[in-house]
Amino acid sequence: MSELLKKEIKKRDRAKMLNVGFDVEEKQRSASYTLLNDQEIGPRTSSRAIELLSIGRALEKYPEFMKKFLWKLVKGNKDEYTQSVVNARPVGYFIRVKPGHKAILPLQSCFYIKAERFKQEVHNLIVMEEGSSLNVINGCASADYVNAGVHIGVTEIYIKKNAYLSYTMIHDWSEEVEVRPRTGIFVDDHATFVSNYISIKGSKITQSYPTCHLKGKDSSGVFNSLIYAPENSVYDIGARVILDGRDSRAEVVSRSISGGGQVIARGELIGNKKSIRAHLECSGMLLNNKGSITAIPILEAHHPEVDMSHEASVGKIAEEEIYYLMSRGISEEEAISLIVRGFLDTKILGLPPAIEKEVEKTINMLDHSF
Amino acid sequence: MPILEIRNLFIEVEGKPILKGINLTVAEGETIILFGPNGVGKSSLFMAIMGFPKYKIKKGQIIFKGTDITHLPASDRARMGIGMSFQRPPSIKGIKLNGLSEIINSDKDNGDRIDYYSKMLKLDQHLKRDINLGFSGGEVKRSEIFQLLLQNPLLSLIDEPESGVDVENISILGKAIKRLLHKEDRLTKRRNSGIIITHTGLILNYLNADMGYMLIDGCLTCSGNAREIFELIQKQGYRECQNCLKKK
Ligand SMILES: Nc1ncnc2c1ncn2[C@@H]1O[C@H](COP(=O)(O)OP(=O)(O)OP(=O)(O)O)[C@@H](O)[C@H]1O
Ligand SMILES: [Mg+2]
């Protein structure tokens, strides 16, 4: 199968894909799904416990099942972007992990735009059956030779009792690409959803505000993001977590740096049940006065016995820290890059080892950004 | 040739004049002690020598090994051989002490130095922590001297190494600074120089200083034997020094 990927994916695109964690060689991966513009390659899986189909194929194979899950967590008429996905020919993946199966190796997917001004419209569905566990790494990128495009991705995720899903997204888009993910997550009793979002190259606009429904008791949702916004880029990102299950827990942590771009970091926690715990943490660092960072934390409580908090801080990079490092013989640029990389510490993500390396590589690419 | 020569230096911080015409020469291998009351500008002098732009040089020159470094960035000065142990260093999130140590040590061929010096300063357990983050007062001081030892600069600017440090740790720091300033070497072989700021004078129990200077009202006054100046301050306090200055 790697042979097919190698045949279909041109050399010059492979490096870019590798940057966002997608390995054409499929080393250390349990399954792969690739979307080049609107052409689907694969999908293929090496494990019988992980079902991976194109969404079109899944609709043919399981029409009733799909009807039960699609467009329930994200409404088709939510906005013009979801509406355009409703009207498009369905492309995207369907992932279902069998009950009790705990996948060791991550499943990888890549959404790749390789034609100028291409509008990529995607619909994904993930169903984690009871007691299952999976790490997904999604690489989203456009080719170097592409300047403008649109990526709209609707993703609906169901995590049943005692199941676990970690969902890591690494983005690397061209300057004029518009990125509009629309995501809904349902989390049942004792189940966990972890989202990691890493984007350090910017794009015209990235706008994402997933809603996570912690319906089950003792369920948990974690949203981490590491953002670097270069000049001329806009990020409007965050997460909303609705804590409906008793003892459910949510954590939203965002670290963003503006190197001249605009960042709006949102977070919304809604506590509805007894003994829920939720924390929102948003730190921003400005490297110059060309950009801006706006932190918008919202806490909403509907039960007296909730424990909800937030911390937000935005400031410029500490000169004192730069000079401290310079006094040890480190150049100003290198000092800034060290502090920036320290600020975007991948250790906060708690990634599985196979993915951690990819993410670290991505963050290290920042060295060439100053 | 002196290692450091400061000529008629005027420094301003946030628009406020701090130093008003400093002249100071440090010879190769020399250790000098800098005294002066709180807030007089001792640390500011170090900051200016190290090259922090906040400490604006309004007039005068700093010459290091015969080169005018007055307008060089701090990193160049560090690479030329100036190092500083900070009175109050910042903590830096996400950068490990080990990571910084490796960068400092990267131009030396011996990788064991980190291991050796971190054990010497009881910091081997701190290497994996973020720089200074949550370090105790004494740990911060040890970490500063540890980094200086790795750097091994020709000129060490050591700002209050023993303030707030317990007896046992002062002894560790004293020995480390002795090593840093080549105090074990014979005079003719001694190459590293240092300026040490102290209020307690305790560091003088561990190493001999060649000279002492007093900083008062933005000027260096009263040079002489470091121990004698220290004893004078102990007896009379700084007020007497100020009076003495007026008489002059
Ligand atoms: N970064 C700064 N911003 C504003 N004022 C400063 C700054 N650094 C120093 N100063 C001021 O300059 C003066 C000299 O400070 P400095 O730290 O050099 O004194 P010092 O002699 O080292 O005192 P101490 O013995 O208390 O350490 C003080 O009045 C101090 O408040
Ligand atoms: Mg001081």
Side-chain angles (χ1 to χ4, degrees):
Chain A
M1 193 62 196
S2 298
E3 291 313 311
L4 176 62
L5 285 179
K6 280 188 199 159
K7 201 176 108 229
E8 295 287 338
I9 301 171
K10 300 223 163 50
K11 254 215 173 93
R12 58 180 174 179
D13 295 318
R14 282 184 212 164
K16 193 75 185 252
M17 291 183 170
L18 198 57
N19 282 348
V20 292
F22 187 87
D23 186 358
V24 174
E25 305 277 344
E26 301 189 283
K27 284 180 199 138
Q28 302 279 312
R29 298 288 186 264
S30 61
S32 301
Y33 172 88
T34 318
L35 184 65
L36 304 178
N37 293 337
D38 60 355
Q39 179 209 350
E40 297 177 292
I41 304 174
R44 68 120 229 166
T45 163
S46 60
S47 160
R48 245 177 280 152
I50 302 172
E51 191 168 17
L52 172 64
L53 300 172
S54 71
I55 196 127
R57 179 80 191 89
L59 278 165
E60 287 167 19
K61 202 170 167 188
Y62 311 115
E64 289 311 308
F65 179 94
M66 297 300 275
K67 215 187 279 170
K68 244 175 52 197
F69 289 101
L70 289 181
W71 298 115
K72 295 294 186 293
L73 295 173
V74 177
K75 294 283 174 242
N77 59 4
K78 177 178 156 63
D79 56 30
E80 58 179 294
Y81 305 103
T82 54
Q83 198 58 54
S84 81
V85 176
V86 172
N87 299 333
R89 175 181 74 89
V91 289
Y93 55 61
F94 165 62
I95 299 169
R96 188 167 151 257
V97 183
K98 301 266 160 74
H101 178 74
K102 298 196 180 342
I104 309 280
L105 294 175
L107 178 153
Q108 65 174 357
S109 80
C110 186
F111 298 92
Y112 195 74
I113 295 180
K114 51 179 287 183
E116 187 63 21
R117 308 212 159 269
F118 190 82
K119 187 173 179 191
Q120 194 170 52
E121 293 153 315
V122 181
H123 196 168
N124 301 316
L125 173 65
I126 302 179
V127 178
M128 299 295 298
E129 297 291 353
E130 284 188 18
S132 66
S133 162
L134 180 68
N135 295 298
V136 174
I137 178 163
N138 283 297
C140 298
S142 46
D144 290 330
Y145 45 87
V146 165
N147 182 42
V150 180
H151 170 87
I152 304 168
V154 171
T155 302
E156 297 178 86
I157 299 173
Y158 295 83
I159 307 175
K160 298 192 181 172
K161 286 178 184 147
N162 298 308
Y164 172 95
L165 177 66
S166 111
Y167 197 71
T168 300
M169 289 150 280
I170 306 179
H171 284 206
D172 185 355
W173 299 105
S174 312
E175 248 173 62
E176 291 297 320
V177 177
E178 246 184 89
V179 187
R180 313 249 180 206
R182 296 290 181 266
T183 307
I185 307 111
F186 172 95
V187 189
D188 209 334
D189 294 354
H190 315 289
T192 299
F193 176 68
V194 179
S195 158
N196 291 307
Y197 180 80
I198 297 103
S199 181
I200 59 156
K201 292 296 183 63
S203 74
K204 187 174 166 197
I205 178 161
T206 300
Q207 189 225 343
S208 169
Y209 200 49
T211 299
C212 178
H213 304 268
L214 295 179
K215 282 283 182 202
K217 55 174 185 283
D218 184 40
S219 57
S220 59
V222 178
F223 288 82
N224 299 313
S225 57
L226 302 178
I227 304 291
Y228 179 87
E231 244 177 279
N232 302 320
S233 68
V234 178
Y235 284 94
D236 182 345
I237 58 146
R240 175 198 292 128
V241 185
I242 304 167
L243 295 100
D244 272 332
R246 202 179 149 154
D247 296 317
S248 57
R249 295 173 305 279
E251 191 177 52
V252 177
V253 178
S254 98
R255 298 260 171 100
S256 45
I257 293 184
S258 164
Q262 189 190 344
V263 179
I264 302 167
R266 300 174 194 273
E268 188 177 346
L269 300 172
I270 303 167
N272 293 332
K273 283 280 155 60
K274 190 179 155 86
S275 308
I276 64 104
R277 269 182 295 143
H279 184 66
L280 194 62
E281 189 185 314
C282 171
S283 4
M285 185 190 275
L286 287 162
L287 296 188
N288 53 46
N289 50 19
K290 292 180 203 137
S292 68
I293 298 178
T294 313
I296 309 179
I298 301 173
L299 301 183
E300 195 181 304
H302 297 278
H303 192 284
E305 286 171 63
V306 299
D307 173 1
M308 300 171 77
S309 57
H310 82 77
E311 272 171 74
S313 66
V314 176
K316 66 171 192 204
I317 184 165
E319 260 174 42
E320 229 201 330
E321 295 176 17
I322 301 174
Y323 289 117
Y324 183 70
L325 296 176
M326 285 176 75
S327 77
R328 304 290 186 230
I330 296 166
S331 72
E332 182 169 5
E333 300 82 75
E334 203 191 330
I336 292 174
S337 130
L338 279 170
I339 293 166
V340 162
R341 268 192 285 155
F343 183 79
L344 298 180
D345 189 357
T346 55
K347 293 283 178 300
I348 68 165
L349 301 175
L351 295 168
I355 295 178
E356 182 157 25
K357 260 188 257 125
E358 313 291 353
V359 172
E360 249 167 49
K361 228 171 47 200
T362 303
I363 297 292
N364 285 340
M365 288 197 300
L366 265 175
D367 281 359
H368 312 290
S369 302
F370 310 106
Chain B
M1 185 175 37
I3 188 95
L4 179 74
E5 213 185 325
I6 296 176
R7 295 183 191 150
N8 197 29
L9 192 69
F10 283 73
I11 302 288
E12 234 178 65
V13 185
E14 305 280 338
K16 183 175 127 187
I18 305 283
L19 302 179
K20 306 158 190 166
I22 299 285
N23 289 292
L24 178 67
T25 302
V26 182
E28 193 178 63
E30 196 178 29
T31 298
I32 70 172
I33 309 283
L34 187 58
F35 298 105
N38 289 144
V40 76
K42 301 179 298 297
S43 298
S44 302
L45 176 61
F46 276 11
M47 297 293 197
I49 299 171
M50 196 69 243
F52 293 73
K54 204 167 202 160
Y55 299 79
K56 278 213 178 71
I57 300 181
K58 303 302 281 188
K59 214 171 132 184
Q61 281 173 303
I62 305 172
I63 316 286
F64 181 70
K65 289 202 294 177
T67 308
D68 187 339
I69 59 162
T70 318
H71 302 290
L72 287 185
S75 45
D76 288 4
R77 299 183 197 203
R79 283 188 211 125
M80 289 172 76
I82 304 180
M84 172 158 169
S85 154
F86 287 65
Q87 184 178 2
R88 268 191 315 270
S91 35
I92 310 181
K93 262 192 205 157
I95 305 182
K96 307 274 174 258
L97 181 58
N98 196 26
L100 180 58
S101 303
E102 269 164 20
I103 296 173
I104 296 173
N105 201 44
S106 59
D107 60 346
K108 319 275 193 293
D109 3 295
N110 186 352
D112 295 339
R113 299 172 79 238
I114 295 176
D115 189 53
Y116 179 77
Y117 288 130
S118 66
K119 286 201 174 109
M120 177 173 176
L121 285 148
K122 293 197 305 184
L123 286 169
D124 40 321
Q125 296 304 313
H126 296 67
L127 285 173
K128 56 179 187 294
R129 285 171 60 178
D130 287 354
I131 297 162
N132 297 327
L133 195 70
F135 283 21
S136 77
E139 288 166 348
V140 165
K141 299 287 179 194
R142 298 208 304 273
S143 153
E144 288 296 296
I145 298 300
F146 163 63
Q147 292 176 53
L148 270 190
L149 276 167
L150 288 179
Q151 224 176 318
N152 191 26
L154 289 170
L155 175 67
S156 293
L157 308 170
I158 308 174
D159 199 344
E160 298 195 29
E162 69 314 41
S163 293
V165 178
D166 70 42
V167 194
E168 220 168 283
N169 281 302
I170 286 183
S171 146
I172 293 174
L173 280 166
K175 280 175 199 150
I177 294 172
K178 213 166 152 177
R179 164 77 64 96
L180 179 67
L181 299 179
H182 289 178
K183 287 302 196 189
E184 286 122 347
D185 290 349
R186 268 192 319 208
L187 210 57
T188 46
K189 279 179 67 191
R190 200 179 288 163
R191 290 193 62 218
N192 284 0
S193 315
I195 310 178
I196 306 175
I197 298 174
T198 179
H199 288 295
T200 65
L202 288 169
I203 194 71
L204 291 169
N205 298 339
Y206 296 89
L207 48 87
N208 287 319
D210 301 290
M211 281 287 272
Y213 290 89
M214 171 81 81
L215 183 60
I216 298 255
D217 287 345
C219 300
L220 280 181
T221 57
C222 224
S223 61
N225 180 296
R227 201 164 265 290
E228 277 172 25
I229 296 180
F230 178 65
E231 276 159 16
L232 211 68
I233 299 166
Q234 293 301 84
K235 252 190 259 148
Q236 312 180 337
Y238 290 111
R239 192 173 293 264
E240 271 311 305
C241 298
Q242 252 146 348
N243 291 340
C244 162
L245 194 65
K246 272 178 204 142
K247 272 179 236 151
K248 276 188 196 167

